[in-house]
Amino acid sequence: MTQHLTNQTANGLVPLYLEDIDIGQRFTSDRQQVDLDAITTFAAQFDPQPFHLDDEAASEALFGGLAASGWHTAAITMRLLVTGPLRIAGGIVGAGAEVTWPKPTRPGDELVVKSEVMDVVRSRSRPERGIVTVRSETLNQHGEVVQTMTAKLVVPCRTVVPTHLDRAGA
């Protein structure tokens, strides 16, 4: 069964607490276009490799043409997550992640992030928060996955359960 986050109100999105999030919930970001200038500007500052900076040099490289840095794709993904429907109270705070880039992001690509909640665990040692595991796929306009990320997010609880009463958490 697919559930969708229901944190939309007349005034926009409301912050989500651990109690608001369930395994299986899915959400989709807005879209963002990636242009050549953005790719080369990011690469020049953070990942100055020829296949991110020069189309001619890139045509001879592994990607067969200019490709955005994976870290640029990750930064765009983060932006789309932060401005998307998973508005965690206190912000999206990571406790670790695994990231892969199965296909390159190219100039002109339009990216969207589709995410699913995989696990929700309240902390026994820190009852004011828990960990939510989210798997996100960043796709281009052709539906091709250009990044996958499984992240563990620190999420505050709305209510604190004394540790002696909560036996189910981690």
Side-chain angles (χ1 to χ4, degrees), residues 119-155:
D119 198 21
V120 179
V121 178
R122 184 187 284 262
S123 173
R124 281 190 298 188
S125 62
R126 306 284 288 219
E128 74 280 2
R129 63 183 172 205
I131 298 290
V132 174
T133 303
V134 177
R135 185 174 193 285
S136 299
E137 289 186 334
T138 306
L139 300 100
N140 65 21
Q141 68 279 8
H142 305 295
E144 299 169 324
V145 178
V146 297
Q147 178 181 292
T148 64
M149 177 176 65
T150 301
K152 294 189 179 297
L153 306 178
V154 179
V155 180

PDB file of all heavy atoms in Angstrom, residues 119-155:
ATOM      1  N   ASP A 119      12.086   3.034   7.085  1.00  0.00           N
ATOM      2  CA  ASP A 119      12.099   2.619   8.488  1.00  0.00           C
ATOM      3  C   ASP A 119      11.923   3.841   9.380  1.00  0.00           C
ATOM      4  O   ASP A 119      12.364   4.944   9.021  1.00  0.00           O
ATOM      5  CB  ASP A 119      13.429   1.919   8.811  1.00  0.00           C
ATOM      6  CG  ASP A 119      13.378   1.087  10.089  1.00  0.00           C
ATOM      7  OD1 ASP A 119      12.262   0.716  10.529  1.00  0.00           O
ATOM      8  OD2 ASP A 119      14.456   0.792  10.639  1.00  0.00           O
ATOM      9  N   VAL A 120      11.278   3.634  10.512  1.00  0.00           N
ATOM     10  CA  VAL A 120      11.076   4.688  11.519  1.00  0.00           C
ATOM     11  C   VAL A 120      11.343   4.055  12.878  1.00  0.00           C
ATOM     12  O   VAL A 120      10.680   3.085  13.251  1.00  0.00           O
ATOM     13  CB  VAL A 120       9.627   5.234  11.484  1.00  0.00           C
ATOM     14  CG1 VAL A 120       9.436   6.316  12.548  1.00  0.00           C
ATOM     15  CG2 VAL A 120       9.276   5.763  10.098  1.00  0.00           C
ATOM     16  N   VAL A 121      12.324   4.589  13.606  1.00  0.00           N
ATOM     17  CA  VAL A 121      12.681   4.023  14.905  1.00  0.00           C
ATOM     18  C   VAL A 121      12.861   5.146  15.918  1.00  0.00           C
ATOM     19  O   VAL A 121      13.660   6.064  15.695  1.00  0.00           O
ATOM     20  CB  VAL A 121      13.992   3.195  14.817  1.00  0.00           C
ATOM     21  CG1 VAL A 121      14.377   2.647  16.183  1.00  0.00           C
ATOM     22  CG2 VAL A 121      13.855   2.078  13.802  1.00  0.00           C
ATOM     23  N   ARG A 122      12.132   5.071  17.024  1.00  0.00           N
ATOM     24  CA  ARG A 122      12.333   6.025  18.123  1.00  0.00           C
ATOM     25  C   ARG A 122      13.541   5.570  18.932  1.00  0.00           C
ATOM     26  O   ARG A 122      13.702   4.391  19.207  1.00  0.00           O
ATOM     27  CB  ARG A 122      11.101   6.077  19.031  1.00  0.00           C
ATOM     28  CG  ARG A 122      11.231   7.127  20.135  1.00  0.00           C
ATOM     29  CD  ARG A 122      10.086   7.067  21.135  1.00  0.00           C
ATOM     30  NE  ARG A 122       8.859   7.630  20.616  1.00  0.00           N
ATOM     31  CZ  ARG A 122       8.434   8.858  20.866  1.00  0.00           C
ATOM     32  NH1 ARG A 122       9.161   9.673  21.594  1.00  0.00           N
ATOM     33  NH2 ARG A 122       7.295   9.281  20.386  1.00  0.00           N
ATOM     34  N   SER A 123      14.360   6.503  19.316  1.00  0.00           N
ATOM     35  CA  SER A 123      15.548   6.198  20.105  1.00  0.00           C
ATOM     36  C   SER A 123      15.164   5.947  21.561  1.00  0.00           C
ATOM     37  O   SER A 123      14.392   6.713  22.143  1.00  0.00           O
ATOM     38  CB  SER A 123      16.532   7.365  20.026  1.00  0.00           C
ATOM     39  OG  SER A 123      17.612   7.164  20.910  1.00  0.00           O
ATOM     40  N   ARG A 124      15.717   4.886  22.140  1.00  0.00           N
ATOM     41  CA  ARG A 124      15.499   4.643  23.575  1.00  0.00           C
ATOM     42  C   ARG A 124      16.430   5.509  24.411  1.00  0.00           C
ATOM     43  O   ARG A 124      16.053   5.971  25.475  1.00  0.00           O
ATOM     44  CB  ARG A 124      15.740   3.172  23.906  1.00  0.00           C
ATOM     45  CG  ARG A 124      14.561   2.309  23.526  1.00  0.00           C
ATOM     46  CD  ARG A 124      14.705   0.919  24.068  1.00  0.00           C
ATOM     47  NE  ARG A 124      15.899   0.305  23.487  1.00  0.00           N
ATOM     48  CZ  ARG A 124      16.230  -0.950  23.623  1.00  0.00           C
ATOM     49  NH1 ARG A 124      15.482  -1.758  24.335  1.00  0.00           N
ATOM     50  NH2 ARG A 124      17.315  -1.433  23.060  1.00  0.00           N
ATOM     51  N   SER A 125      17.642   5.729  23.917  1.00  0.00           N
ATOM     52  CA  SER A 125      18.610   6.509  24.692  1.00  0.00           C
ATOM     53  C   SER A 125      18.382   8.012  24.559  1.00  0.00           C
ATOM     54  O   SER A 125      18.789   8.774  25.430  1.00  0.00           O
ATOM     55  CB  SER A 125      20.035   6.161  24.262  1.00  0.00           C
ATOM     56  OG  SER A 125      20.234   6.494  22.906  1.00  0.00           O
ATOM     57  N   ARG A 126      17.737   8.440  23.483  1.00  0.00           N
ATOM     58  CA  ARG A 126      17.436   9.859  23.244  1.00  0.00           C
ATOM     59  C   ARG A 126      15.950   9.960  22.911  1.00  0.00           C
ATOM     60  O   ARG A 126      15.585  10.101  21.741  1.00  0.00           O
ATOM     61  CB  ARG A 126      18.283  10.402  22.100  1.00  0.00           C
ATOM     62  CG  ARG A 126      19.788  10.180  22.263  1.00  0.00           C
ATOM     63  CD  ARG A 126      20.365  11.126  23.248  1.00  0.00           C
ATOM     64  NE  ARG A 126      20.400  12.436  22.658  1.00  0.00           N
ATOM     65  CZ  ARG A 126      21.375  13.289  22.810  1.00  0.00           C
ATOM     66  NH1 ARG A 126      22.398  12.994  23.536  1.00  0.00           N
ATOM     67  NH2 ARG A 126      21.310  14.463  22.239  1.00  0.00           N
ATOM     68  N   PRO A 127      15.056   9.873  23.895  1.00  0.00           N
ATOM     69  CA  PRO A 127      13.616   9.774  23.634  1.00  0.00           C
ATOM     70  C   PRO A 127      13.005  10.999  22.953  1.00  0.00           C
ATOM     71  O   PRO A 127      11.864  10.942  22.513  1.00  0.00           O
ATOM     72  CB  PRO A 127      13.011   9.553  25.013  1.00  0.00           C
ATOM     73  CG  PRO A 127      14.027  10.068  25.976  1.00  0.00           C
ATOM     74  CD  PRO A 127      15.361   9.863  25.325  1.00  0.00           C
ATOM     75  N   GLU A 128      13.773  12.065  22.820  1.00  0.00           N
ATOM     76  CA  GLU A 128      13.248  13.261  22.147  1.00  0.00           C
ATOM     77  C   GLU A 128      13.400  13.188  20.630  1.00  0.00           C
ATOM     78  O   GLU A 128      12.983  14.102  19.926  1.00  0.00           O
ATOM     79  CB  GLU A 128      13.940  14.521  22.695  1.00  0.00           C
ATOM     80  CG  GLU A 128      15.368  14.721  22.242  1.00  0.00           C
ATOM     81  CD  GLU A 128      16.424  13.899  22.993  1.00  0.00           C
ATOM     82  OE1 GLU A 128      16.070  13.095  23.882  1.00  0.00           O
ATOM     83  OE2 GLU A 128      17.617  14.078  22.689  1.00  0.00           O
ATOM     84  N   ARG A 129      13.969  12.071  20.120  1.00  0.00           N
ATOM     85  CA  ARG A 129      14.158  11.956  18.680  1.00  0.00           C
ATOM     86  C   ARG A 129      14.204  10.497  18.239  1.00  0.00           C
ATOM     87  O   ARG A 129      14.205   9.585  19.046  1.00  0.00           O
ATOM     88  CB  ARG A 129      15.427  12.668  18.241  1.00  0.00           C
ATOM     89  CG  ARG A 129      16.688  12.091  18.827  1.00  0.00           C
ATOM     90  CD  ARG A 129      17.857  12.911  18.381  1.00  0.00           C
ATOM     91  NE  ARG A 129      19.058  12.505  19.083  1.00  0.00           N
ATOM     92  CZ  ARG A 129      20.084  13.282  19.281  1.00  0.00           C
ATOM     93  NH1 ARG A 129      20.055  14.529  18.855  1.00  0.00           N
ATOM     94  NH2 ARG A 129      21.144  12.843  19.900  1.00  0.00           N
ATOM     95  N   GLY A 130      14.243  10.337  16.943  1.00  0.00           N
ATOM     96  CA  GLY A 130      14.348   9.008  16.357  1.00  0.00           C
ATOM     97  C   GLY A 130      15.098   9.090  15.040  1.00  0.00           C
ATOM     98  O   GLY A 130      15.566  10.159  14.641  1.00  0.00           O
ATOM     99  N   ILE A 131      15.191   7.948  14.380  1.00  0.00           N
ATOM    100  CA  ILE A 131      15.868   7.867  13.086  1.00  0.00           C
ATOM    101  C   ILE A 131      14.864   7.380  12.050  1.00  0.00           C
ATOM    102  O   ILE A 131      14.188   6.370  12.245  1.00  0.00           O
ATOM    103  CB  ILE A 131      17.068   6.896  13.133  1.00  0.00           C
ATOM    104  CG1 ILE A 131      18.126   7.374  14.134  1.00  0.00           C
ATOM    105  CG2 ILE A 131      17.666   6.700  11.744  1.00  0.00           C
ATOM    106  CD1 ILE A 131      18.878   8.631  13.705  1.00  0.00           C
ATOM    107  N   VAL A 132      14.782   8.120  10.950  1.00  0.00           N
ATOM    108  CA  VAL A 132      13.940   7.743   9.817  1.00  0.00           C
ATOM    109  C   VAL A 132      14.872   7.437   8.648  1.00  0.00           C
ATOM    110  O   VAL A 132      15.723   8.252   8.299  1.00  0.00           O
ATOM    111  CB  VAL A 132      12.958   8.878   9.446  1.00  0.00           C
ATOM    112  CG1 VAL A 132      12.195   8.541   8.169  1.00  0.00           C
ATOM    113  CG2 VAL A 132      11.996   9.147  10.593  1.00  0.00           C
ATOM    114  N   THR A 133      14.723   6.235   8.073  1.00  0.00           N
ATOM    115  CA  THR A 133      15.505   5.860   6.903  1.00  0.00           C
ATOM    116  C   THR A 133      14.665   6.142   5.660  1.00  0.00           C
ATOM    117  O   THR A 133      13.523   5.682   5.563  1.00  0.00           O
ATOM    118  CB  THR A 133      15.902   4.374   6.951  1.00  0.00           C
ATOM    119  OG1 THR A 133      16.628   4.131   8.167  1.00  0.00           O
ATOM    120  CG2 THR A 133      16.773   3.999   5.759  1.00  0.00           C
ATOM    121  N   VAL A 134      15.240   6.932   4.752  1.00  0.00           N
ATOM    122  CA  VAL A 134      14.545   7.338   3.529  1.00  0.00           C
ATOM    123  C   VAL A 134      15.391   6.941   2.330  1.00  0.00           C
ATOM    124  O   VAL A 134      16.595   7.236   2.291  1.00  0.00           O
ATOM    125  CB  VAL A 134      14.290   8.864   3.515  1.00  0.00           C
ATOM    126  CG1 VAL A 134      13.645   9.297   2.212  1.00  0.00           C
ATOM    127  CG2 VAL A 134      13.443   9.280   4.703  1.00  0.00           C
ATOM    128  N   ARG A 135      14.767   6.282   1.367  1.00  0.00           N
ATOM    129  CA  ARG A 135      15.432   5.957   0.098  1.00  0.00           C
ATOM    130  C   ARG A 135      14.913   6.918  -0.960  1.00  0.00           C
ATOM    131  O   ARG A 135      13.709   7.017  -1.185  1.00  0.00           O
ATOM    132  CB  ARG A 135      15.143   4.530  -0.333  1.00  0.00           C
ATOM    133  CG  ARG A 135      15.926   4.143  -1.592  1.00  0.00           C
ATOM    134  CD  ARG A 135      15.751   2.666  -1.944  1.00  0.00           C
ATOM    135  NE  ARG A 135      16.714   2.235  -2.943  1.00  0.00           N
ATOM    136  CZ  ARG A 135      16.655   2.535  -4.236  1.00  0.00           C
ATOM    137  NH1 ARG A 135      15.673   3.285  -4.698  1.00  0.00           N
ATOM    138  NH2 ARG A 135      17.564   2.096  -5.076  1.00  0.00           N
ATOM    139  N   SER A 136      15.845   7.627  -1.590  1.00  0.00           N
ATOM    140  CA  SER A 136      15.484   8.622  -2.604  1.00  0.00           C
ATOM    141  C   SER A 136      16.144   8.276  -3.928  1.00  0.00           C
ATOM    142  O   SER A 136      17.319   7.903  -3.965  1.00  0.00           O
ATOM    143  CB  SER A 136      15.933  10.018  -2.171  1.00  0.00           C
ATOM    144  OG  SER A 136      15.305  10.399  -0.970  1.00  0.00           O
ATOM    145  N   GLU A 137      15.378   8.425  -4.996  1.00  0.00           N
ATOM    146  CA  GLU A 137      15.909   8.299  -6.349  1.00  0.00           C
ATOM    147  C   GLU A 137      15.763   9.648  -7.029  1.00  0.00           C
ATOM    148  O   GLU A 137      14.686  10.247  -6.997  1.00  0.00           O
ATOM    149  CB  GLU A 137      15.135   7.246  -7.155  1.00  0.00           C
ATOM    150  CG  GLU A 137      15.376   5.835  -6.718  1.00  0.00           C
ATOM    151  CD  GLU A 137      14.703   4.826  -7.620  1.00  0.00           C
ATOM    152  OE1 GLU A 137      13.675   5.153  -8.266  1.00  0.00           O
ATOM    153  OE2 GLU A 137      15.196   3.679  -7.683  1.00  0.00           O
ATOM    154  N   THR A 138      16.847  10.111  -7.624  1.00  0.00           N
ATOM    155  CA  THR A 138      16.820  11.325  -8.430  1.00  0.00           C
ATOM    156  C   THR A 138      16.765  10.876  -9.876  1.00  0.00           C
ATOM    157  O   THR A 138      17.627  10.109 -10.333  1.00  0.00           O
ATOM    158  CB  THR A 138      18.061  12.185  -8.164  1.00  0.00           C
ATOM    159  OG1 THR A 138      18.160  12.438  -6.751  1.00  0.00           O
ATOM    160  CG2 THR A 138      17.994  13.499  -8.914  1.00  0.00           C
ATOM    161  N   LEU A 139      15.729  11.322 -10.576  1.00  0.00           N
ATOM    162  CA  LEU A 139      15.500  10.894 -11.955  1.00  0.00           C
ATOM    163  C   LEU A 139      15.579  12.080 -12.902  1.00  0.00           C
ATOM    164  O   LEU A 139      15.223  13.200 -12.524  1.00  0.00           O
ATOM    165  CB  LEU A 139      14.120  10.244 -12.090  1.00  0.00           C
ATOM    166  CG  LEU A 139      13.878   9.013 -11.234  1.00  0.00           C
ATOM    167  CD1 LEU A 139      13.081   9.382 -10.006  1.00  0.00           C
ATOM    168  CD2 LEU A 139      13.170   7.951 -12.016  1.00  0.00           C
ATOM    169  N   ASN A 140      16.009  11.802 -14.136  1.00  0.00           N
ATOM    170  CA  ASN A 140      15.987  12.845 -15.161  1.00  0.00           C
ATOM    171  C   ASN A 140      14.643  12.820 -15.889  1.00  0.00           C
ATOM    172  O   ASN A 140      13.752  12.032 -15.546  1.00  0.00           O
ATOM    173  CB  ASN A 140      17.180  12.717 -16.118  1.00  0.00           C
ATOM    174  CG  ASN A 140      17.155  11.429 -16.939  1.00  0.00           C
ATOM    175  OD1 ASN A 140      16.117  10.787 -17.126  1.00  0.00           O
ATOM    176  ND2 ASN A 140      18.326  11.063 -17.455  1.00  0.00           N
ATOM    177  N   GLN A 141      14.499  13.669 -16.884  1.00  0.00           N
ATOM    178  CA  GLN A 141      13.232  13.817 -17.605  1.00  0.00           C
ATOM    179  C   GLN A 141      12.852  12.562 -18.395  1.00  0.00           C
ATOM    180  O   GLN A 141      11.696  12.410 -18.799  1.00  0.00           O
ATOM    181  CB  GLN A 141      13.271  15.030 -18.538  1.00  0.00           C
ATOM    182  CG  GLN A 141      14.220  14.902 -19.710  1.00  0.00           C
ATOM    183  CD  GLN A 141      15.681  15.191 -19.368  1.00  0.00           C
ATOM    184  OE1 GLN A 141      16.054  15.363 -18.207  1.00  0.00           O
ATOM    185  NE2 GLN A 141      16.524  15.253 -20.394  1.00  0.00           N
ATOM    186  N   HIS A 142      13.774  11.634 -18.570  1.00  0.00           N
ATOM    187  CA  HIS A 142      13.500  10.377 -19.278  1.00  0.00           C
ATOM    188  C   HIS A 142      13.137   9.254 -18.308  1.00  0.00           C
ATOM    189  O   HIS A 142      12.953   8.118 -18.739  1.00  0.00           O
ATOM    190  CB  HIS A 142      14.716   9.953 -20.114  1.00  0.00           C
ATOM    191  CG  HIS A 142      15.179  11.001 -21.072  1.00  0.00           C
ATOM    192  ND1 HIS A 142      14.419  11.445 -22.142  1.00  0.00           N
ATOM    193  CD2 HIS A 142      16.332  11.725 -21.106  1.00  0.00           C
ATOM    194  CE1 HIS A 142      15.088  12.382 -22.796  1.00  0.00           C
ATOM    195  NE2 HIS A 142      16.244  12.572 -22.191  1.00  0.00           N
ATOM    196  N   GLY A 143      13.085   9.576 -17.008  1.00  0.00           N
ATOM    197  CA  GLY A 143      12.793   8.556 -16.009  1.00  0.00           C
ATOM    198  C   GLY A 143      13.997   7.710 -15.643  1.00  0.00           C
ATOM    199  O   GLY A 143      13.869   6.713 -14.942  1.00  0.00           O
ATOM    200  N   GLU A 144      15.188   8.116 -16.093  1.00  0.00           N
ATOM    201  CA  GLU A 144      16.416   7.392 -15.768  1.00  0.00           C
ATOM    202  C   GLU A 144      16.929   7.845 -14.403  1.00  0.00           C
ATOM    203  O   GLU A 144      16.968   9.039 -14.111  1.00  0.00           O
ATOM    204  CB  GLU A 144      17.490   7.668 -16.822  1.00  0.00           C
ATOM    205  CG  GLU A 144      17.096   7.238 -18.219  1.00  0.00           C
ATOM    206  CD  GLU A 144      18.044   7.756 -19.287  1.00  0.00           C
ATOM    207  OE1 GLU A 144      18.546   8.899 -19.163  1.00  0.00           O
ATOM    208  OE2 GLU A 144      18.264   7.007 -20.251  1.00  0.00           O
ATOM    209  N   VAL A 145      17.343   6.889 -13.588  1.00  0.00           N
ATOM    210  CA  VAL A 145      17.869   7.197 -12.262  1.00  0.00           C
ATOM    211  C   VAL A 145      19.303   7.684 -12.405  1.00  0.00           C
ATOM    212  O   VAL A 145      20.164   6.968 -12.928  1.00  0.00           O
ATOM    213  CB  VAL A 145      17.800   5.966 -11.335  1.00  0.00           C
ATOM    214  CG1 VAL A 145      18.407   6.284  -9.973  1.00  0.00           C
ATOM    215  CG2 VAL A 145      16.361   5.488 -11.178  1.00  0.00           C
ATOM    216  N   VAL A 146      19.555   8.907 -11.945  1.00  0.00           N
ATOM    217  CA  VAL A 146      20.903   9.470 -11.983  1.00  0.00           C
ATOM    218  C   VAL A 146      21.564   9.449 -10.608  1.00  0.00           C
ATOM    219  O   VAL A 146      22.779   9.626 -10.510  1.00  0.00           O
ATOM    220  CB  VAL A 146      20.924  10.900 -12.588  1.00  0.00           C
ATOM    221  CG1 VAL A 146      20.466  10.872 -14.045  1.00  0.00           C
ATOM    222  CG2 VAL A 146      20.085  11.869 -11.775  1.00  0.00           C
ATOM    223  N   GLN A 147      20.765   9.226  -9.566  1.00  0.00           N
ATOM    224  CA  GLN A 147      21.320   9.092  -8.214  1.00  0.00           C
ATOM    225  C   GLN A 147      20.352   8.300  -7.360  1.00  0.00           C
ATOM    226  O   GLN A 147      19.136   8.461  -7.475  1.00  0.00           O
ATOM    227  CB  GLN A 147      21.546  10.469  -7.575  1.00  0.00           C
ATOM    228  CG  GLN A 147      22.070  10.368  -6.137  1.00  0.00           C
ATOM    229  CD  GLN A 147      22.261  11.714  -5.500  1.00  0.00           C
ATOM    230  OE1 GLN A 147      23.138  12.464  -5.913  1.00  0.00           O
ATOM    231  NE2 GLN A 147      21.465  12.037  -4.513  1.00  0.00           N
ATOM    232  N   THR A 148      20.907   7.451  -6.505  1.00  0.00           N
ATOM    233  CA  THR A 148      20.122   6.832  -5.438  1.00  0.00           C
ATOM    234  C   THR A 148      20.793   7.205  -4.132  1.00  0.00           C
ATOM    235  O   THR A 148      22.026   7.319  -4.061  1.00  0.00           O
ATOM    236  CB  THR A 148      20.033   5.294  -5.552  1.00  0.00           C
ATOM    237  OG1 THR A 148      21.344   4.744  -5.412  1.00  0.00           O
ATOM    238  CG2 THR A 148      19.408   4.866  -6.858  1.00  0.00           C
ATOM    239  N   MET A 149      19.976   7.410  -3.122  1.00  0.00           N
ATOM    240  CA  MET A 149      20.512   7.730  -1.805  1.00  0.00           C
ATOM    241  C   MET A 149      19.613   7.098  -0.752  1.00  0.00           C
ATOM    242  O   MET A 149      18.395   7.271  -0.782  1.00  0.00           O
ATOM    243  CB  MET A 149      20.577   9.243  -1.588  1.00  0.00           C
ATOM    244  CG  MET A 149      21.061   9.625  -0.194  1.00  0.00           C
ATOM    245  SD  MET A 149      21.265  11.405   0.039  1.00  0.00           S
ATOM    246  CE  MET A 149      19.591  11.997  -0.122  1.00  0.00           C
ATOM    247  N   THR A 150      20.236   6.376   0.157  1.00  0.00           N
ATOM    248  CA  THR A 150      19.529   5.884   1.324  1.00  0.00           C
ATOM    249  C   THR A 150      20.132   6.620   2.509  1.00  0.00           C
ATOM    250  O   THR A 150      21.333   6.484   2.780  1.00  0.00           O
ATOM    251  CB  THR A 150      19.666   4.355   1.475  1.00  0.00           C
ATOM    252  OG1 THR A 150      19.145   3.744   0.293  1.00  0.00           O
ATOM    253  CG2 THR A 150      18.897   3.862   2.690  1.00  0.00           C
ATOM    254  N   ALA A 151      19.301   7.417   3.160  1.00  0.00           N
ATOM    255  CA  ALA A 151      19.788   8.288   4.231  1.00  0.00           C
ATOM    256  C   ALA A 151      19.077   7.989   5.539  1.00  0.00           C
ATOM    257  O   ALA A 151      17.891   7.664   5.561  1.00  0.00           O
ATOM    258  CB  ALA A 151      19.563   9.750   3.861  1.00  0.00           C
ATOM    259  N   LYS A 152      19.815   8.112   6.611  1.00  0.00           N
ATOM    260  CA  LYS A 152      19.250   8.030   7.949  1.00  0.00           C
ATOM    261  C   LYS A 152      19.124   9.464   8.456  1.00  0.00           C
ATOM    262  O   LYS A 152      20.117  10.179   8.536  1.00  0.00           O
ATOM    263  CB  LYS A 152      20.136   7.195   8.869  1.00  0.00           C
ATOM    264  CG  LYS A 152      20.189   5.734   8.448  1.00  0.00           C
ATOM    265  CD  LYS A 152      20.887   4.889   9.467  1.00  0.00           C
ATOM    266  CE  LYS A 152      20.915   3.435   9.067  1.00  0.00           C
ATOM    267  NZ  LYS A 152      19.621   2.813   8.955  1.00  0.00           N
ATOM    268  N   LEU A 153      17.890   9.863   8.757  1.00  0.00           N
ATOM    269  CA  LEU A 153      17.616  11.231   9.179  1.00  0.00           C
ATOM    270  C   LEU A 153      17.269  11.272  10.651  1.00  0.00           C
ATOM    271  O   LEU A 153      16.505  10.424  11.144  1.00  0.00           O
ATOM    272  CB  LEU A 153      16.445  11.802   8.365  1.00  0.00           C
ATOM    273  CG  LEU A 153      16.580  11.730   6.850  1.00  0.00           C
ATOM    274  CD1 LEU A 153      15.329  12.288   6.190  1.00  0.00           C
ATOM    275  CD2 LEU A 153      17.829  12.462   6.378  1.00  0.00           C
ATOM    276  N   VAL A 154      17.805  12.259  11.350  1.00  0.00           N
ATOM    277  CA  VAL A 154      17.475  12.485  12.757  1.00  0.00           C
ATOM    278  C   VAL A 154      16.207  13.327  12.780  1.00  0.00           C
ATOM    279  O   VAL A 154      16.172  14.430  12.226  1.00  0.00           O
ATOM    280  CB  VAL A 154      18.616  13.209  13.495  1.00  0.00           C
ATOM    281  CG1 VAL A 154      18.239  13.455  14.947  1.00  0.00           C
ATOM    282  CG2 VAL A 154      19.912  12.412  13.378  1.00  0.00           C
ATOM    283  N   VAL A 155      15.152  12.791  13.398  1.00  0.00           N
ATOM    284  CA  VAL A 155      13.850  13.457  13.393  1.00  0.00           C
ATOM    285  C   VAL A 155      13.378  13.652  14.831  1.00  0.00           C
ATOM    286  O   VAL A 155      13.327  12.692  15.603  1.00  0.00           O
ATOM    287  CB  VAL A 155      12.813  12.631  12.599  1.00  0.00           C
ATOM    288  CG1 VAL A 155      11.457  13.313  12.600  1.00  0.00           C
ATOM    289  CG2 VAL A 155      13.297  12.408  11.168  1.00  0.00           C
TER     290      VAL A 155
END
